[in-house]
Amino acid sequence: MSSREPLAARMRPACAAEFCGQGHLLAAGAPLASVLEHGRAHSMILWGPPGTGKTTLARMIASACDAEMIALSAVMSGVKDIRQAVETARLAREGSGRATILFIDEVHRFNKSQQDAFLPYVEDGTVTFIGATTENPSFEVNNALLSRARVYVLKSLTTDDLGRVFDRALADSERGLGAHDLQVQDGVREQLIEVADGDARRLLNLLEILADQAPDTGATLDAASVQAVLQGDSRRFDKGGDVFYDQISALHKSVRGSAPDAALYWLCRMLDGGCDPLYIARRLVRMASEDIGNADPRALQIALDAWQAQERLGSPEGELALAQAVVYLAVAAKSNAVYGAYKAAMKSAREQGSREVPPHLRNAPTRLMKELGHGKDYRYAHDETHGYAAGEQYFPDGMGSPEYYQPVDRGLEAQIRKKLADLRGLDRKARAKAP
């Protein structure tokens, strides 16, 4: 069973009635519904996961507007191709008066100069620009271009959407697999839809592989053949892209929110998607300091131990240590007091210039330094009552005594909070008595 054109290309929706998903953009009254209905396009960026219909939408818009469509891939094209496309659009406008839609797939792969190359022609209306991207346009598209284009967010297809794609591919005798009368074993349809992970192209590619392996017309697609095709398959995980950062964000926030089950889920999602376990280990150390801190200092050591276990053992043994650390961090007492104090102290250090170290705190390793007063009148805390020099000033002159660190009333920090309150009380009393 073969065709020069892939099944996903043959089954590309030819009209809005065949399009699956994106109801928030295409339902009556939705933003793109009026574009298709009235045939008036504007420059736009279609942002969403793979296989959600970005290219198909661009083609449908061009058809509805009776416009020429020039399609470029940012992976394969350069400034020369852009200039040629603009010239073609200019000639079309001067000749037939037809508008041109310049569709650029994976527009995030164009650098600044390439994006700048077609910006003036978007501005003067020579072309209507439609870009497609899987990456966040805020980071990947020039501000000048963003200001001239509306961004529409496409969503992963639902189970019902993918079910319609699957059924249409099996039933369509002209473009799909209907002529082959394939039978589908119970559960196979659902299994393929789940693995497709919201991606219609992925679903159709898997279905085509299975169909190509079928010996003859009327063959049955069974669970065994599906399992053979899916060996080594993994969930969507774009290393370094939005999905990557969204998932690590979800893991971090689950740990912070003391939700061990959710934290484990996101850990496994990332590992299943191919994330480097050592990257996760590094982030766990950050979580231990940022969100737990001195409420449970053991969390930092457990995170470091898990990192070391992953380095020494590799997978899968090391990943179990990561799971242990994730659960411990999630259930540990939480405090961001150290994190907040660090940021406040850093702000002071950056904004208040190079204040000098007070003489009594300076180092005095030589006779000359001692003669200059370095270390003079320094109070050695161990020689003081309770081992604390009440009222001593450790900040530069003129800064007062900022209290950056405010321990919370949870975990070990509850005890630290009480101790600091006592010590700060002693300081106030000592300073009140000072001449």
Side-chain angles (χ1 to χ4, degrees), residues 107-332:
V107 67
H108 60 275
R109 293 185 181 271
F110 269 165
N111 59 34
K112 185 179 186 299
S113 63
Q114 289 169 319
Q115 292 181 35
D116 286 344
F118 61 86
L119 182 60
Y121 307 102
V122 174
E123 181 75 21
D124 68 13
T126 302
V127 297
T128 299
F129 162 67
I130 299 182
T133 179
T134 56
E135 301 297 327
N136 190 332
S138 301
F139 304 126
E140 306 294 343
V141 178
N142 291 353
N143 287 334
L145 187 55
L146 271 180
S147 70
R148 291 161 175 81
R150 275 194 73 178
V151 176
Y152 294 107
V153 180
L154 281 71
K155 300 176 181 179
S156 294
L157 300 189
T158 66
T159 299
D160 289 341
D161 295 332
L162 291 175
R164 288 174 56 201
V165 172
F166 183 95
D167 296 340
R168 192 162 61 85
L170 281 187
D172 193 319
S173 299
E174 295 182 10
R175 295 181 292 165
L177 305 171
H180 303 286
D181 192 28
L182 294 173
Q183 308 301 310
V184 181
Q185 190 179 68
D186 287 347
V188 166
R189 178 180 181 272
E190 290 72 22
Q191 186 179 8
L192 287 173
I193 288 172
E194 180 182 351
V195 171
D197 205 19
D199 184 335
R201 186 185 301 110
R202 189 178 192 183
L203 174 64
L204 291 172
N205 287 343
L206 290 170
L207 185 56
E208 185 171 31
I209 292 170
L210 289 167
D212 284 342
Q213 292 178 353
D216 47 39
T217 299
T220 298
L221 305 182
D222 57 24
S225 58
V226 171
Q227 200 57 43
V229 168
L230 297 182
Q231 255 185 344
D233 190 78
S234 62
R235 296 290 184 266
R236 185 169 65 242
F237 187 81
D238 182 15
K239 296 178 184 178
D242 276 354
V243 175
F244 178 95
Y245 291 110
D246 284 347
Q247 290 187 14
I248 192 62
S249 174
L251 172 59
H252 194 150
K253 288 169 182 171
S254 298
V255 167
R256 180 184 295 146
S258 300
D261 299 308
L264 269 179
Y265 169 77
W266 291 114
L267 168 69
C268 292
R269 276 285 300 275
M270 297 189 75
L271 293 174
D272 177 60
C275 180
D276 181 0
L278 293 177
Y279 169 81
I280 298 175
R282 182 167 66 85
R283 291 301 296 259
L284 293 181
V285 171
R286 166 76 184 214
M287 295 174 206
S289 289
E290 179 179 336
D291 293 295
I292 297 168
N294 288 333
D296 187 346
R298 293 169 298 183
L300 179 57
Q301 186 58 58
I302 287 172
L304 287 168
D305 287 345
W307 189 344
Q308 189 175 68
Q310 179 65 50
E311 284 184 323
R312 290 186 175 184
L313 302 179
S315 298
E317 290 87 350
E319 291 167 6
L320 184 57
L322 294 181
Q324 179 184 348
V326 162
V327 171
Y328 188 92
L329 267 57
V331 300

Side-chain angles (χ1 to χ4, degrees), residues 54-74:
K54 297 185 290 294
T55 302
T56 298
L57 267 178
R59 291 186 177 188
M60 287 168 52
I61 290 169
S63 177
C65 298
D66 191 29
E68 297 285 352
M69 178 167 164
I70 300 176
L72 299 178
S73 169

